[in-house]
Amino acid sequence: MKIIMLGAPGAGKGTQAKKIAEKYGIPHISTGDIFRANIKNGTELGKKAKTFMDQGLLVPDELTCDLVVDRIQQPDAARGYVLDGFPRTIPQAECLKDALDKLGSRIDYAIDVDVPDENIVNRMGGRRACLKCGATYHIVYAAPKQEGICDSCGEALVLRDDDKPETVQKRLNVYHEQTQPLIDYYNGQNVLRTVDGTQDLEDVFKQIVQILGE
Ligand code: AP5
Ligand code: MG
């Protein structure tokens, strides 16, 4: 099963993608997590990506596409995967489609987690992230068992650099300009499914399971 998660920054793509990955036994591939891991490890890719990410801008397509096309051909992705945060532009979607065409494969579902902008700004200030394993928490809606510590790997949780209110607004603007057109793009390919992302995160997941099947 090959799935794309669509939705604004903070809509809950990462939260739901992790749950999908666990339930269906497929890898969760988040370009944001890959970039953050590279920043943490001080790689060249990380240095390049950071200048864009800190401003709330998209990392250029040429740094992103090859990375994902390579990742989806790894052995653990043979049975499928859930892509979170990619594609984010029409050229990225076209790049993915070309690669999948060559592999004789296609996307099964593009799930749009729909949340209005007003709800997003509230959520972001409370988010805490683990830069080691990519787990995401919220101080109210999805608190870790021990405050400030990742349940999965024990790493200290942080507020992401790009979760400051002014950067969140910038990311929302970038989303509406560059990423939202993908909703029509995948609708045109008959793979778009929309879920109401304003509900409790377990209820959002139930809607997704109804779409994907038990
Ligand atoms: P990325 O890491 O992908 O960030 P994003 O799209 O802005 O999305 P977020 O991770 O902020 O939100 P999410 O939808 O995953 O929400 P989450 O589940 O955490 O990208 C970061 C940056 O990297 C980009 O700005 C760009 O610069 C660069 N980049 C990445 N991919 C790229 C690409 N393909 N091309 C170019 N550049 C790229 O949830 C948010 C919070 O809400 C959490 O605290 C969570 O606990 C809480 N929450 C979730 N669901 C609910 C719910 N139902 N109710 C209440 N709270 C909830
Ligand atoms: Mg995320």
Side-chain angles (χ1 to χ4, degrees):
M1 197 150 45
K2 301 183 180 75
I3 304 164
I4 290 172
M5 302 303 290
L6 295 175
K13 302 181 295 295
T15 302
Q16 299 300 330
K18 268 221 136 71
K19 292 169 80 69
I20 294 170
E22 264 166 40
K23 180 170 171 72
Y24 298 96
I26 52 177
H28 167 207
I29 302 174
S30 156
T31 39
D33 287 352
I34 294 172
F35 290 137
R36 281 185 289 278
N38 274 275
I39 292 172
K40 190 163 181 257
N41 296 329
T43 68
E44 275 311 306
L45 174 65
K47 282 178 199 150
K48 283 186 196 152
K50 186 171 171 34
T51 57
F52 298 96
M53 289 171 73
D54 283 354
Q55 296 178 68
L57 299 172
L58 296 185
V59 176
D61 291 341
E62 56 271 25
L63 291 180
T64 312
C65 281
D66 292 352
L67 184 96
V68 176
V69 168
D70 181 65
R71 179 66 187 84
I72 60 174
Q73 293 181 70
Q74 300 300 312
D76 67 332
R79 287 182 48 243
Y81 40 81
V82 49
L83 289 177
D84 160 20
F86 180 95
R88 242 184 166 92
T89 61
I90 296 284
Q92 288 182 15
E94 293 286 355
C95 159
L96 177 65
K97 187 171 186 310
D98 288 348
L100 290 175
D101 283 348
K102 281 187 197 132
L103 296 166
S105 174
R106 64 190 295 273
I107 291 300
D108 299 303
Y109 298 103
I111 300 176
D112 179 32
V113 184
D114 187 30
V115 178
D117 287 9
E118 306 83 80
N119 302 41
I120 301 271
V121 182
N122 285 336
R123 279 189 193 178
M124 301 300 240
R127 173 163 59 184
R128 296 295 178 271
C130 175
L131 298 184
K132 192 170 171 199
C133 75
T136 293
Y137 302 86
H138 190 282
I139 51 176
V140 180
Y141 308 120
K145 292 194 182 79
Q146 194 187 340
E147 196 185 319
I149 303 291
C150 179
D151 291 349
S152 321
C153 73
E155 185 89 348
L157 299 175
V158 297
L159 179 70
R160 270 169 44 179
D161 286 342
D162 58 352
D163 278 350
K164 288 176 281 185
E166 60 278 20
T167 315
V168 170
Q169 190 53 56
K170 180 84 166 288
R171 285 161 63 200
L172 281 169
N173 297 344
V174 167
Y175 166 76
H176 290 302
E177 279 164 26
Q178 301 195 52
T179 308
Q180 212 170 11
L182 292 175
I183 293 177
D184 283 342
Y185 178 91
Y186 286 111
N187 197 18
Q189 298 185 9
N190 291 322
V191 293
L192 183 76
R193 304 287 185 278
T194 304
V195 296
D196 176 2
T198 63
Q199 295 185 336
D200 180 84
L201 54 90
E202 291 301 337
D203 291 331
V204 178
F205 189 57
K206 278 187 200 148
Q207 294 177 59
I208 293 177
V209 172
Q210 271 181 2
I211 292 165
L212 302 179
E214 275 297 341

